[in-house]
Each structure stands twice: as C-alpha cells, then as structure tokens.
Amino acid sequence: MSEPRPSDRHDDSDPDETFAEIVDEATQRDPDLAVIEAGSRTLRTRSGPPQAPDAPARPADPEVDKALRAVEQELAGRWGETKLEPSVARITALMDLLGEPQRAYPSIHITGTNGKTSTARMVEALLGAFDLRTGRYTSPHVQSITERISLDGSPMDPERFIETYQDIKPYVEMVDAQQPYRLSFFEVLTGMAYAAFADAPVDVAVVEVGMGGSWDATNVIDASVAVITPISLDHTDRLGSTPAEIAGEKGGIIKQGATVILAQQPVDAAQVILKKAVAVDATVAREGMEFGVVSREVAVGGQLLTLRGLGGEYEEIFLPLYGAHQAHNAAVALCAVEAFFGIGAERPGALDADTVRQAFASVISPGRLEVVRSSPTVVLDAAHNPGGARATADGISEAFAFSRLIGVVGASDDKDVKGLLEAFEPIFAEVVITQNSSARAMDADALAAVAVEVFGDERVQVEPRLDDAIEAAITLAEEEDEYAGAGVLVTGSVITVGEARLLLGRH
C-alpha cells in the first residue's frame, strides 16, 4: 500500500481509535439522521465526457431503432412498474421454461430505499477490476431502456437487447396464457436480464431490486450476498408505513446462509433485518460496527477516503462522487465484494488495495449530481423522495459554491412531493415547477400549489413544458452577474432528469 502524501494526513491518531470513535458516533446519533448521512441518495458528480456509454442515445441505424421501438411498445403494453400483483409465481414460471438461467452464476442482490443503483455500480466496478465478467440489472433507466441490463460495465447494445427479447418472447407468451395475470413490464425485463447473463456468460450478477424484496421479480435468485442500503419511507402504499414494516419486505431477499451487508439503518428497521438474518442463519456485517468510513475529505472532482472493510483498512481511495452518503455507499460496496470473495469469513487478508483504488476511481453515473452545462452551471439529479432530496441538498451544498441556486422540479404523482420540496427549500432561491412526459407525472399546476405552500408565491414559477422550465431557470440564474456563481438544479424524478439530459444534448 503506498504511503499517504503528507498533505493527506489529518493527524497521527491510531486508526483503530479513529474507527472506534466512528462506531460510537454511529450508534449514538439519531437513527433518522443516520439514514440521511449514511447513504440515503445516490449522488454522482463528474466533469468531462462519460467514460462509458451509460446513458446511450437512440440507435443510429434506422432499422435497429425501429426494431427497438417495437420492443419498447410491446413492453409498454404490459402492466407498468407501479401496478403490481405481489407474487413471484409468474417470474418463477418463466424461469422454469427458460431452464432457470438465474442459477447459472453467483449473484449479489441489492435492496433498500435509496442508493441501490449507486451501490450496484460500485460493486460492478470492483468486481470488474478483479477481472470478473459482470452483469448488472438496475432500474429505472435515465434515457434508454437498454441501460437496465449491463454486461461488463456497459449497457447492452440495442441489437442484443432486441435479440434477447425475441428469444424469450415465446416463453413469455406461454406464461401469459397459463397465469391469471400477464407478466408485467418489469417481470419481462427481469427475465431478459437473467437470460442475457446466462448467455454471456457472466461470472457474477449484480442485481438491484425493483421494489421491496420478498415478492420482487428479481427475488428468484439465490444470492450469497444480500445488500441492504438505508431504508426510509417510500412506496408506503405497497411496502408499509414505517421503516420496520418496509424492512420486513426488503429483508425477504436474505437467503439461507447468506452474508448480509447492512448499511446504517433506523433502529426499528435494523432490528427487523437482524431477526430475519438469525432466522435463516445468515451472517451480518453492519456499517459502523464491522465496517465503515474511517475518514473522508473533499478533493478536486470528488473525495478522498479511508475505508474500513472486513479485511482491514483501504487508504487513499479517490471517489469521483460528492457527499458523505456516497462515501458510505462505497464502504457498503467494498464490504459486499469482500464478502463475495469470502474475506472476513472463509479466508483472512484484504483485497488488493491498488485494484480497489482503480475501481472506485472509475465509477460514474448519469443523472446523479451530473454537470451538463456551464455558464450558468446546470446540474441534474434524480432525487425523487424526501430522504433522497435531503441528501441531494447536502451534497450540492458541499460540492458546489453556488451563490444562488434555481430549482427545476418535475415529480411523479405517487410521491411525497411536499416532503421532497421541503427538503430543497433551504437551498433553492426560486423554483420552476414543471412536468415530464410520463403518464405518472404530477400535473404542473397541482405541484405548483404544493410548492407555494412550501416556498411562498413569490419564489414559485410554473412552466408546464420541461424545455421552457429549463430555459426559465437559466434566465433566472443569469440575472446575477456572470461571475456571481448562480446555478440550476433539475430534479424530482428520474424521468425528468432523463428528458432534461436529452434536451441539454448529453448523450
């Protein structure tokens, strides 16, 4: 391990004493604050062009684009991701017909309320750095449906996506005919992902839960590592009205004898998960106890970390993402990969530190605190619930020295929009309310009525068209002197961010 630069040293204290102080702080603080601070939202920042086509544009070939649109149209004709019949019967039937492809490779399963995609990307980067072929399944997508299924760190190319759909389509239709309800949009995509991973073949699959855990379509895998990111209130109509109730659903991904990597949680949620782990003889590694963030400091383009994993400390890790929560996400991802390799249980030692550094330095994510324009600076972030919005607000305050920040907010109708707006109120000088093109989008006027309650009438502007809203926000930001440092944050929904990304020419 290389010697830390003199400028990176904070003091000469014993690392074990430092970690003990972190453990004490984590166990004494308010559990709700722990959710916010520990990783309640994926925030991604980078400068320069993307390192990989993680948010691909439409296919350049007109025929391929036409074929992909046909697949998208067929999938759109099924139940959407917000209409559910809580059961794994349909996806199980599909897996049986396909020869159970999900059992052809080991897997790491990730659930939680916020930070799942962020953590999945970090896990994928680490596994790839250790020369493993990876498959990653995440949702929702920012710009292209092909983003949801990745091979070797890049979204599946459109041709392969179309081919995979056509391959499983006959089996999908057979299940449709046999079951009381047709397979949903998410269930078909899950079947495609598992089939594509087996066909590749991959060495390991990194799978993000769509919603909940117990009855989520992804839960037909038998993952040796179950990751649970911070739990807070979201989808309360389906998962429960308290963190404990939600934890009961999310704990359903824990399989017999698995290793559970548990991010910091509200106390009641942690208790539920620990009881589940005991019931299935699973081993639990807890953030703030068995692993955690030893130190972090803001650096140019990200932050410099020292992480405590199951195998010891990893120093001088540069993470090109901002926010304390991202440091905690990194600790969770590191511990998950250590557990996958058996470190801390089956064998002593640590992962190669240089490889770990290389992996974390490569992590990117579109639409998560992503700068897409300068003069004035326009930032995109897909925060869509109060916990995520609070972490976004904290992250942008730490990472950007905006003298005045204008918000552009377009949210979904089924979210806690008041809580979302209240989280942003302290950092937004003014807010432009809008809506995206999704059928789930909250009407701009209805959202504006809530915004007026939070911000007051004089700080709220309504522009139903997203392009007009972005232009209005940029104009408001430009009202300050050119060098005053005003900025724009577009947020409220993954769909809003994806459409803004296209409008601003980011591919």
Side-chain angles (χ1 to χ4, degrees), residues 220-396:
V220 290
I221 56 175
D222 189 13
S224 61
V225 179
V227 177
I228 303 180
T229 66
I231 292 172
S232 60
L233 300 181
D234 198 8
H235 301 297
T236 54
D237 56 330
R238 299 177 180 88
L239 302 180
S241 58
T242 67
E245 290 177 351
I246 294 171
E249 289 295 334
K250 295 185 182 294
I253 73 166
I254 303 172
K255 302 303 194 299
Q256 186 73 33
T259 299
V260 181
I261 309 303
L262 187 61
Q264 289 174 336
Q265 305 290 347
V267 173
D268 57 346
Q271 290 173 339
V272 170
I273 293 166
L274 291 172
K275 287 180 181 178
K276 170 66 175 181
V278 169
V280 296
D281 196 28
T283 302
V284 181
R286 300 156 294 176
E287 184 182 7
M289 302 298 285
E290 285 76 27
F291 70 96
V293 179
V294 175
S295 67
R296 60 179 291 269
E297 58 181 293
V298 176
V300 176
Q303 54 190 309
L304 196 65
L305 311 175
T306 296
L307 302 178
R308 169 68 67 87
L310 300 177
E313 287 193 4
Y314 300 81
E315 299 177 337
E316 286 197 296
I317 294 174
F318 175 69
L319 182 68
L321 317 172
Y322 288 108
H325 57 286
Q326 284 289 25
H328 288 274
N329 285 344
V332 169
L334 174 64
C335 191
V337 173
E338 284 184 314
F340 179 78
F341 285 121
I343 291 174
E346 298 173 12
R347 64 185 181 91
L351 299 174
D352 179 73
D354 287 336
T355 305
V356 169
R357 294 188 190 103
Q358 173 192 344
F360 277 120
S362 71
V363 175
I364 61 172
S365 185
R368 273 79 177 183
L369 261 188
E370 178 186 22
V371 177
V372 293
R373 172 186 162 141
S374 57
S375 300
T377 300
V378 177
V379 183
L380 308 180
D381 189 87
H384 57 274
N385 57 40
R390 287 191 291 269
T392 297
D394 289 345
I396 205 164

Side-chain angles (χ1 to χ4, degrees), residues 139-154:
S139 60
H141 58 274
V142 177
Q143 285 179 205
S144 171
I145 194 172
T146 60
E147 297 167 33
R148 294 181 179 234
I149 306 173
S150 290
L151 296 170
D152 295 322
S154 295

